[in-house]
């Protein structure tokens, strides 16, 4: 079966700021029940966005940043790219060590004007049915009406298209054992380019992301462990973060027609730019670093639990909620 790759999707509504999420490209090569992308809220009308076509490459480059951005100039762009590359390495390494048999297959891609990504998929391992950990760096142009909706000041609005930069990491992890929970996480950064005639910071920027747990069978000690790790990460920066972002996660992943949440939650935030930029970069990094200690201890306890066909069928039904949630938002 062809190896699946992924890219970063950016959708725009005239009255809303851009919404970032990862979605598979070459989607016919993957099964939705085993590997799905984070949801994309599609408005009734969208504005066109210009992103260059991807080209698959045989070896990953040192950086996906444009030369004008500098490879390691201390910018938020550069440091966020470094963070997601390091996170992909650490998460994939931890998952391979736990699985013991499966190995991640990697695809890399670039675009002519800068940007690109790395898709990693582990399939049919000893522990994981399918696990994907993908990163993307994207340059594009957004329509002016989308930029005007993105909290831009009146003095900084221009009639023409607005260049933007987006980067992120996204993952869905599906274990084989029905007593081992599915995990989803993604962390992302978005900014618009500063006007060419104005030096300094970007005109707009924000962070988003989160980590959430979806078990087929609930173990209270697992839920407590998972949420305690999320809370510790949040509390290092602001005691209001955990209750605020936990509720946001509960509300976001709510399947309205069922009156139920998709899983047992975690944390979720989006369009976050009302704090110091350096603080939020550190916060996103801390959240990313908490994925392995939040998830791996649970898998170590549950991966070898005996199960029967009925329990496996229930897991597959629960996994379908990922697809159902995405289709409801389409």
């Amino acid at each position: 079966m062809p190896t699946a790759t992924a890219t970063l999707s950016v959708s725009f509504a005239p009255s809303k700021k851009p919404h970032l999420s990862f979605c598979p490209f070459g989607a016919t090569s993957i099964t939705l029940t085993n590997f799905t992308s984070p949801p994309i809220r599609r408005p009734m009308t969208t504005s066109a966005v210009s992103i260059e076509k991807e080209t698959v490459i045989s070896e990953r480059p040192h950086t996906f940043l444009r030369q004008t951005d500098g490879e390691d100039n201390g910018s938020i762009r550069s440091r966020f790219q470094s963070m997601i590359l390091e996170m992909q390495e650490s998460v994939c390494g931890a998952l391979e060590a736990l699985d013991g048999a499966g190995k991640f297959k990697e695809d890399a891609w670039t675009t002519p004007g800068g940007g690109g990504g790395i898709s990693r998929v582990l399939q049919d391992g000893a522990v994981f049915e399918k696990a994907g950990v993908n990163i993307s760096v994207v340059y594009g142009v957004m329509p002016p009406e989308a930029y005007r909706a993105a909290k831009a000041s009146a003095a900084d609005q221009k009639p023409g298209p607005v260049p933007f930069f987006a980067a992120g990491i996204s993952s869905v992890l599906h274990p084989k054992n029905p007593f081992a929970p599915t995990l989803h996480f993604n962390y992302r950064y978005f900014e618009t380019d500063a006007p060419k005639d104005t030096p300094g910071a970007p005109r707009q920027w924000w962070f988003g992301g989160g980590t959430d747990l979806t078990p087929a069978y609930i173990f209270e000690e697992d839920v407590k462990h998972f949420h305690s790790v999320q809370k510790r990460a949040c509390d290092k920066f602001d005691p209001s973060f955990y209750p605020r972002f936990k509720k946001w996660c509960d509300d976001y992943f709510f399947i309205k027609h069922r009156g139920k949440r998709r899983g047992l939650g975690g944390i979720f935030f989006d369009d976050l730019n009302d704090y110091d930029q350096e603080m939020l970069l550190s916060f996103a990094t801390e959240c990313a670093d908490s994925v392995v200690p939040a998830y791996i201890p649970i898998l170590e306890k549950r991966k070898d639990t005996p199960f029967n066909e009925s329990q496996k069928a229930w897991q597959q039904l629960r996994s379908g909620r990922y697809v159902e949630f995405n289709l409801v938002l389409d």
Side-chain angles (χ1 to χ4, degrees):
M1 186 173 73
T3 305
T5 52
T7 186
L8 187 66
S9 147
V10 186
S11 56
F12 298 95
S15 61
K16 298 179 181 179
K17 68 166 58 177
H19 180 82
L20 278 69
S21 56
F22 282 85
C23 62
F25 91 89
T28 55
S29 64
I30 55 178
T31 357
L32 286 173
T33 52
N34 291 336
F35 181 94
T36 58
S37 63
I40 307 171
R41 281 199 168 92
R42 291 186 175 93
M44 292 300 291
T45 55
T46 56
S47 301
V49 53
S50 172
I51 300 176
E52 293 180 309
K53 183 176 177 61
E54 304 95 348
T55 300
V56 176
I57 55 178
S58 58
E59 294 184 8
R60 64 159 67 190
H62 173 67
T63 181
F64 293 107
L65 298 179
R66 289 173 174 170
Q67 289 185 349
T68 52
D69 283 343
E71 293 188 2
D72 187 17
N73 62 359
S75 68
I76 298 295
R77 293 185 183 192
S78 174
R79 290 153 62 196
F80 193 86
Q81 178 191 236
S82 295
M83 186 273 279
I84 60 176
L85 284 167
E86 291 170 6
M87 184 186 185
Q88 187 182 47
E89 287 289 335
S90 64
V91 170
C92 290
L95 298 180
E96 284 187 348
L98 179 73
D99 192 276
K103 297 293 182 182
F104 279 93
K105 294 184 178 180
E106 178 178 296
D107 287 326
W109 52 272
T110 60
T111 54
I118 300 169
S119 170
R120 288 184 173 179
V121 177
L122 185 159
Q123 187 171 351
D124 296 328
V127 173
F128 292 100
E129 186 172 325
K130 184 169 280 189
V133 186
N134 308 306
I135 67 164
S136 286
V137 174
V138 174
Y139 293 88
V141 177
M142 73 168 76
E145 60 268 28
Y147 175 68
R148 286 194 290 270
K151 296 183 180 180
S153 65
D156 196 26
Q157 294 183 11
K158 295 179 67 177
V162 180
F164 71 85
F165 168 89
I169 182 167
S170 185
S171 175
V172 181
L173 310 175
H174 287 299
K176 287 185 172 181
N177 195 301
F179 295 104
T182 291
L183 186 81
H184 158 250
F185 68 83
N186 79 67
Y187 291 96
R188 54 198 181 270
Y189 175 70
F190 182 99
E191 70 179 36
T192 58
D193 279 336
K196 292 182 179 179
D197 56 350
T198 304
R203 290 180 287 184
Q204 289 292 321
W205 57 266
W206 52 87
F207 291 86
T211 306
D212 63 279
L213 193 71
T214 302
Y217 291 92
I218 299 171
F219 296 90
E220 185 176 354
E221 62 183 299
D222 295 350
V223 179
K224 287 182 176 179
H225 167 77
F226 178 78
H227 278 275
S228 69
V229 176
Q230 308 308 310
K231 186 177 185 301
R232 282 198 302 272
C234 291
D235 286 351
K236 291 181 180 180
F237 297 87
D238 190 315
S240 72
F241 276 7
Y242 175 73
R244 175 184 169 190
F245 298 151
K246 179 184 181 299
K247 182 180 185 304
W248 202 338
C249 184
D250 290 341
D251 293 343
Y252 187 83
F253 293 109
F254 186 77
I255 305 174
K256 291 183 179 180
H257 71 279
R258 290 188 178 274
K260 296 179 180 179
R261 297 183 178 94
R262 186 179 73 178
L264 294 180
I267 58 172
F268 176 83
F269 56 91
D270 202 9
D271 305 335
L272 199 62
N273 63 359
D274 51 353
Y275 295 83
D276 176 75
Q277 194 175 22
E278 289 288 339
M279 184 268 238
L280 290 178
L281 174 62
S282 297
F283 172 61
T285 302
E286 184 70 28
C287 291
D289 289 343
S290 73
V291 168
V292 169
Y295 189 49
I296 294 298
I298 297 174
L299 291 183
E300 289 174 337
K301 286 190 292 185
R302 308 299 172 196
K303 65 183 178 67
D304 297 319
T305 303
F307 63 89
N308 57 38
E309 291 184 6
S310 175
Q311 291 162 337
K312 183 65 179 178
W314 174 246
Q315 180 200 35
Q316 292 172 337
L317 178 65
R318 290 290 299 168
S319 295
R321 296 289 171 85
Y322 269 90
V323 182
E324 181 180 17
F325 180 77
N326 291 344
L327 292 177
V328 167
L329 290 179
D330 278 354

